[in-house]
């Protein structure tokens, strides 16, 4: 452990070049020797200098396009840390637009200003600018880091973040980090133009996706297994739109983690993850190296119509020996773990709600003649002042949701209240919904038309996650405690839906925010990055005093009544999520979404 800490500090510093770095290295080495000799602490500081910049990426000779990479690299390698480490990232923005980093799944308790959500917790780092994130790694599990500025995640700014537990509950010999990413020929801004076209014929023009599996062009990835060993495979869907179903022929999977939450192990043949979701599975290797096997990463979406492409069955090899033949094991039962089948190791019982919020997710053509997504008819648009700065600078008004502007769709929560969210998905396709700064309990799920399809009602010990997939025409009941003062987004994790407005904001304990996050607590460069972009840093959503938001705020785009039914599938649309999620009784419900309530 101690020597590991030394190697870490030295490796990270030696990536810098020049005399300064080499003297720093000597310093770090001395420091490390001190730590290691006297065993002061095992916690390390992982410090990175990251240039965020465009990189040419060649997709298997098929096409080359720009990806947003780090220090000239894409796909971006994972950050691997230990519990208690401090992650320091000095970000330098070499793009021609603002950027940011979000640490997906980390609670950021007391450090809301490092959550990275542009327009919500920060202004973004402008082109040529810098920002330092200091994130204390107090949770264990499989996480990821991605941009929270426009659709930059879809264009590549994303990587896994692994936090290891020195007192791991489950035993395994080795681990494999397996990020799954969808990848498109077109850049995200080009696709968004297509997706928000009011004309359905243009909007539904098929697009052809590709995949990157474990940092390698799909179908080339090899997982090296040694007979008899047990592996923890950390699977992370860090893509922007598609779900992935993962399985290994001839091997069973034991699910032990979902989104950083350790669960009682469940045996299965496959795991399905929507964008933003992660899972760890234990896999026991075969006893001999006689054969190699195929692993599957089937990529699918009921958003996109592609008769021959959906699902796209990507595969890779589980290699025991380079000389062994592949043994095909077909016909494994199509078994999948449902969220409500899982139970967290900590056995936290269902929370009793103090307050309830209903969110109806709809999409359609809005009064600005674009196709948009919305919660409760509000399509999210960022305020002029990031919501955190409004909460910090508006005194008593910070308790009034109006101060944050209508288009930010903000709900104010009392400190420590248990919040129940009922999310109704009126679209015909699934949305992976993610809450920042928390995990939520999943209490109930079902179809909106026929009611619950899970037999258990309020579960005694519900599973917790930070991202839940709600299928078309379905609902979910989620609960969490507002125990982390700050400003937290709740949004769909499909980047294109974020851009088209499927986001809302919880402001948790404005009094605590004002008490604990004020003034000198805000990192250096935080306000400067706002000012450099001509953004205001005080006042309400419009940068004015009190509740005077001017006329502009009341004129956000509103749904067009006669065109709002366009969230029904176009004729001939083949929905495929039932193939993966099973439950044949549900099929007709998926194909006919719940009619809009009058
Ligand atoms: C891809 O996988 C799905 C799910 O297992 C299966 O239904 C489909 O037939 C497969 N497609 C191809 C082309 O193999
Ligand atoms: C945040 O910290 C407070 C005070 O230490 C604690 O009570 C609360 O449970 C924490 N919340 C989360 C989400 O970690
Ligand atoms: C949402 O917008 C639709 C279309 O304009 C309208 O029919 C409906 O009443 C609105 N719902 C609410 C809750 O305002
Ligand atoms: Cu979505």
């Amino acid at each position: 452990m101690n020597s590991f800490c030394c190697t870490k500090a030295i490796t990270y510093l030696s990536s810098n070049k020049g005399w300064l770095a080499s003297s720093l290295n000597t310093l770090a080495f001395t420091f490390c020797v001190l730590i290691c000799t006297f065993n002061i602490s095992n916690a390390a500081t992982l410090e990175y200098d990251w240039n965020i910049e465009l990189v040419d990426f060649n997709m298997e000779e098929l096409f080359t396009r720009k990806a947003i990479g780090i220090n000239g690299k894409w796909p971006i390698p994972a950050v691997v840390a230990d519990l208690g480490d401090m992650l320091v990232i000095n970000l330098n923005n070499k793009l021609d637009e603002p950027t940011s980093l979000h640490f997906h799944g980390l609670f950021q308790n007391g450090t809301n200003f490092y959550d990275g959500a542009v327009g919500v917790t920060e202004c973004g780092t402008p082109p040529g600018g810098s920002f330092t994130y200091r994130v204390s790694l107090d949770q264990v599990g499989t996480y990821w880091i991605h941009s929270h500025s426009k659709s930059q995640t879809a264009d590549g700014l994303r990587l896994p973040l692994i936090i290891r537990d020195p007192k791991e509950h489950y035993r395994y010999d080795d681990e494999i980090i397996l990020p799954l990413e969808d990848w498109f020929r077109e850049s995200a801004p080009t696709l968004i133009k297509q997706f928000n076209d009011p004309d359905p014929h243009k909007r539904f023009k098929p697009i052809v996706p590709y995949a990157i599996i474990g940092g390698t062009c799909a179908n080339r990835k090899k997982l090296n297994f040694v007979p008899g060993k047990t592996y923890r495979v950390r699977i992370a869907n860090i893509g922007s739109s598609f779900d992935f179903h993962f399985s290994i022929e001839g091997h069973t999977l034991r699910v032990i983690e979902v989104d950083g939450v350790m669960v009682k192990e469940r045996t299965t043949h496959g795991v399905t993850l929507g964008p933003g979701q992660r899972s760890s599975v234990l896999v026991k290797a075969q006893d001999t190296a006689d054969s190699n096997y195929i692993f599957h990463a089937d990529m699918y979406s009921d958003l996109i119509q592609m008769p021959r492409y959906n699902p796209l069955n990507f595969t890779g090899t589980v290699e025991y020996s380079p000389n062994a033949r592949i043994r095909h094991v077909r016909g494994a039962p199509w078994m999948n773990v449902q969220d409500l089948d899982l139970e967290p190791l900590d056995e936290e019982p269902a929370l009793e709600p103090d307050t309830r919020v209903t969110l109806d997710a709809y999409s359609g053509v809005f009064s600005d003649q674009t196709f948009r997504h919305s919660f409760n008819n509000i399509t999210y648009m960022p305020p002029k002042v990031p919501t955190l700065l409004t909460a910090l600078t508006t005194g008593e008004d910070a308790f009034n949701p109006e101060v944050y502007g209508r288009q930010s769709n903000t709900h104010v929560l009392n400190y420590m209240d248990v919040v129940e969210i009922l999310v109704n998905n009126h679209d015909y396709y699934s949305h992976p919904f993610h809450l920042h700064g928390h995990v939520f309990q999943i209490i109930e799920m079902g179809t909106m038309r026929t009611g619950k399809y899970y037999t258990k009602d309020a579960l005694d010990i519900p599973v917790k996650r930070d991202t839940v997939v709600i299928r078309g025409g379905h609902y979910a009941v989620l609960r969490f405690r507002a125990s982390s003062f700050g400003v937290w987004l709740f949004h769909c994790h499909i980047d294109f839906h974020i851009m088209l407005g499927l986001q809302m904001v919880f402001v948790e304990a404005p009094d605590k925010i004002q008490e604990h996050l004020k003034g000198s607590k805000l990192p250096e460069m935080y306000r400067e990055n706002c000012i450099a972009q001509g953004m205001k840093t005080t006042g309400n959503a419009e940068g004015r005093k009190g509740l005077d938001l001017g006329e502009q705020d009341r004129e956000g785009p509103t749904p067009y009544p006669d065109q709002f039914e366009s969230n029904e599938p176009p004729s001939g649309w083949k929905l495929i999520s039932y193939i993966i999620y099973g439950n044949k009784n549900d099929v007709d419900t998926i194909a006919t979404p719940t009619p809009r309530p009058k």
Side-chain angles (χ1 to χ4, degrees):
M1 196 64 195
N2 281 338
S3 67
F4 184 51
C5 112
C6 289
T7 348
K8 261 206 278 198
I10 292 164
T11 328
Y12 292 121
L13 278 166
S14 56
S15 55
N16 297 318
K17 299 214 168 66
W19 66 268
L20 179 67
S22 68
S23 40
L24 274 177
N25 259 339
T26 321
L27 239 164
F29 185 72
T30 320
F31 183 61
C32 256
V33 169
L34 274 176
I35 292 178
C36 296
T37 314
F38 299 107
N39 198 11
I40 299 169
S41 155
N42 280 331
T45 295
L46 309 188
E47 183 157 358
Y48 295 87
D49 289 330
W50 279 0
N51 290 334
I52 310 298
E53 59 199 7
L54 293 178
V55 176
D56 282 316
F57 178 70
N58 182 334
M59 183 79 203
E60 285 192 319
E61 321 281 311
L62 287 170
F63 62 94
T64 299
R65 59 157 287 197
K66 302 267 183 224
I68 305 178
I70 292 176
N71 298 345
K73 265 208 180 121
W74 199 85
I76 305 165
V79 167
V80 180
D82 291 310
L83 178 65
D85 286 354
M86 177 62 91
L87 179 60
V88 179
I89 295 173
N90 305 305
L91 173 157
N92 301 305
N93 184 5
K94 309 281 183 197
L95 305 174
D96 60 7
E97 58 179 25
T99 191
S100 80
L101 294 174
H102 167 61
F103 302 83
H104 183 122
L106 297 193
F107 297 154
Q108 300 279 17
N109 199 350
T111 50
N112 186 224
F113 38 73
Y114 289 137
D115 197 45
V118 172
V120 184
T121 61
E122 61 158 275
C123 292
T125 300
S130 303
F131 189 73
T132 299
Y133 292 91
R134 291 172 194 281
V135 184
S136 161
L137 305 178
D138 308 322
Q139 296 156 256
V140 294
T142 309
Y143 300 90
W144 60 302
I145 303 173
H146 62 84
S147 167
H148 225 297
S149 184
K150 300 211 171 135
S151 49
Q152 290 174 359
T153 310
D155 280 333
L157 188 41
R158 56 199 190 194
L159 62 140
L161 165 64
I162 308 303
I163 311 173
R164 290 181 173 150
D165 188 349
K167 297 197 189 91
E168 190 55 64
H169 179 82
Y170 291 101
R171 304 230 158 270
Y172 48 91
D173 300 301
D174 212 342
E175 68 175 28
I176 293 167
I177 303 167
L178 195 68
L180 309 174
E181 317 176 44
D182 50 25
W183 189 238
F184 306 97
R185 202 182 270 262
E186 303 81 7
S187 74
T190 308
L191 290 174
I192 286 163
K193 237 183 246 148
Q194 172 181 335
F195 294 150
N196 75 355
D197 202 299
D199 177 354
H201 298 289
K202 291 189 184 146
R203 191 160 69 239
F204 292 123
K205 203 175 73 188
I207 58 165
V208 180
Y210 298 84
I212 315 278
I213 309 288
T216 306
C217 292
N219 302 334
R220 293 204 187 152
K221 182 71 184 172
K222 276 186 193 154
L223 309 180
N224 292 305
F225 273 29
V226 172
K229 282 199 172 181
T230 298
Y231 293 89
R232 174 182 190 160
V233 187
R234 296 177 181 267
I235 318 159
N237 184 342
I238 63 170
S240 64
S241 308
F242 278 70
D243 290 0
F244 278 97
H245 181 83
F246 176 83
S247 59
I248 308 177
E249 290 186 14
H251 295 68
T252 49
L253 313 177
R254 286 182 287 150
V255 178
I256 57 162
E257 180 212 344
V258 288
D259 299 355
V261 174
M262 296 306 292
V263 295
K264 295 183 183 165
E265 68 170 74
R266 283 289 298 222
T267 301
T268 178
H269 287 284
V271 169
T272 299
L273 298 174
Q277 292 189 310
R278 295 90 61 209
S279 186
S280 284
V281 294
L282 295 183
V283 188
K284 174 97 166 50
Q286 305 285 359
D287 293 330
T288 68
D290 295 349
S291 313
N292 296 330
Y293 295 83
I294 297 287
F295 77 79
H296 295 264
D298 298 332
M299 182 171 106
Y300 66 96
S301 166
D302 38 32
L303 252 176
I304 293 166
Q305 190 180 33
M306 299 171 304
R308 270 183 311 119
Y309 291 106
N310 200 358
L312 280 167
N313 297 346
F314 293 107
T315 56
T317 319
V318 169
E319 191 176 275
Y320 285 84
S321 157
N323 308 317
R325 286 255 207 79
I326 287 176
R327 188 176 151 222
H328 291 279
V329 185
R330 291 176 210 273
W334 189 261
M335 207 167 109
N336 212 2
V337 178
Q338 306 283 349
D339 284 338
L340 295 199
D341 295 337
L342 296 168
E343 210 171 277
L345 270 189
D346 68 12
E347 298 193 326
E348 187 186 2
L351 299 163
E352 278 305 313
D354 299 304
T355 176
R356 290 187 162 88
V357 177
T358 299
L359 298 175
D360 282 291
Y362 281 114
S363 57
V365 177
F366 276 61
S367 54
D368 65 348
Q369 281 303 314
T370 58
F371 181 85
R372 288 178 172 278
H373 289 266
S374 64
F375 280 126
N376 300 344
N377 279 355
I378 299 173
T379 183
Y380 180 89
M381 292 165 88
K384 292 210 178 110
V385 175
T387 305
L388 175 59
L389 284 173
T390 295
L392 274 168
T393 60
T394 51
E396 281 288 300
D397 287 337
F399 283 92
N400 188 336
E402 281 173 38
V403 81
Y404 304 102
R406 180 185 180 273
Q407 292 308 130
S408 74
N409 204 350
T410 297
H411 293 237
V412 177
L413 304 174
N414 295 324
Y415 192 50
M416 288 297 175
D417 270 5
V418 173
V419 188
E420 179 177 284
I421 318 176
L422 164 62
V423 191
N424 293 315
N425 177 5
H426 297 264
D427 290 322
Y428 62 89
Y429 38 79
S430 25
H431 295 292
F433 289 108
H434 170 53
L435 176 63
H436 286 214
H438 299 271
V439 287
F440 43 70
Q441 298 181 325
I442 305 176
I443 302 292
E444 202 181 296
M445 280 174 127
T447 65
M448 295 192 296
R449 201 171 60 177
T450 56
K452 294 168 202 166
Y453 68 78
Y454 288 102
T455 47
K456 293 188 230 173
D457 285 9
L459 283 118
D460 297 339
I461 300 173
V463 74
K464 291 178 271 195
R465 303 195 73 133
D466 61 42
T467 309
V468 63
V469 173
I470 306 180
R471 296 161 57 199
H474 286 61
Y475 74 91
V477 175
L478 316 171
R479 285 182 198 156
F480 69 98
R481 189 182 296 280
S483 66
S484 185
F485 48 83
V487 171
W488 308 111
L489 266 178
F490 181 76
H491 65 90
C492 170
H493 221 292
I494 293 177
D495 290 86
F496 308 105
H497 296 174
I498 297 178
M499 293 305 289
L500 303 186
L502 197 46
Q503 308 204 75
M504 56 82 65
V505 176
F506 288 110
V507 172
E508 222 163 285
D511 45 343
K512 297 276 174 197
I513 293 176
Q514 292 176 7
E515 194 182 323
H516 294 285
L517 302 180
K518 249 207 153 73
S520 60
K521 287 277 173 56
L522 286 187
E524 242 184 290
M525 300 182 272
Y526 185 90
R527 281 204 172 81
E528 282 149 51
N529 279 341
C530 297
I531 293 160
Q533 298 177 67
M535 290 172 80
K536 292 178 181 148
T537 57
T538 59
N540 63 34
E542 290 288 323
R544 294 163 175 244
K545 289 222 164 69
L547 294 174
D548 166 27
L549 290 142
E551 284 307 301
Q552 214 174 340
D553 182 62
R554 284 184 281 274
E555 285 176 7
T558 48
Y560 261 7
D562 50 338
Q563 290 190 45
F564 217 57
E565 301 300 332
S566 55
N567 57 356
E568 277 182 19
S571 57
W573 199 265
K574 184 172 163 265
L575 282 142
I576 69 134
S577 71
Y578 71 88
I579 301 172
I580 309 292
Y581 286 99
N583 203 341
K584 279 244 161 24
N585 299 335
D586 257 5
V587 172
D588 73 349
T589 318
I590 303 162
T592 9
T594 315
R596 186 180 182 79
K598 293 290 174 234

